[in-house]
Amino acid sequence: MEPGRLSQVLSLLGVALYAYFLWFRPSQEGIALALGLALGGAALAYGEKPFPVPFFLGLFALLGLLQLFYGHPLFFLLGGLLGAGLPYLAYRLRKPAR
């Protein structure tokens, strides 16, 4: 799968999980995981090479700081790691174009 498309899918999955954990099965841990997944997927954009998106990185850092003091930072970081790490892994493992 293309890394850019995978990061978009993970960001949308994070938004859907946020709505699920907010309205249908309230869970603070799930909300933290979903926010981390959504922002982690949006933190890197993929063109020829991956490059950071400053707005989403700043928002991720701000929410991470809030999670550190008032929430569930491990779930937030796990979501961010999955959201940013899986597309980057797909980028690194893809075959080079000839």
Side-chain angles (χ1 to χ4, degrees):
M1 181 177 243
E2 289 286 324
R5 181 75 176 138
L6 182 59
S7 67
Q8 288 175 354
V9 167
L10 289 174
S11 291
L12 291 175
L13 177 65
V15 171
L17 284 175
Y18 176 77
Y20 176 76
F21 285 123
L22 182 67
W23 292 321
F24 299 115
R25 188 168 297 255
S27 167
Q28 292 296 318
E29 295 88 359
I31 289 174
L33 181 80
L35 284 174
L37 186 65
L39 291 174
L44 292 175
Y46 292 89
E48 192 172 308
K49 293 169 66 174
F51 57 93
V53 180
F55 176 75
F56 291 115
L57 284 176
L59 196 57
F60 184 84
L62 178 66
L63 285 177
L65 188 65
L66 288 173
Q67 288 291 329
L68 182 65
F69 292 117
Y70 301 112
H72 303 280
L74 293 179
F75 289 100
F76 183 74
L77 289 176
L78 177 66
L81 181 66
L82 287 174
L86 289 177
Y88 187 73
L89 182 65
Y91 168 77
R92 296 294 291 173
L93 292 178
R94 71 179 179 176
K95 294 182 179 180
R98 294 183 183 211

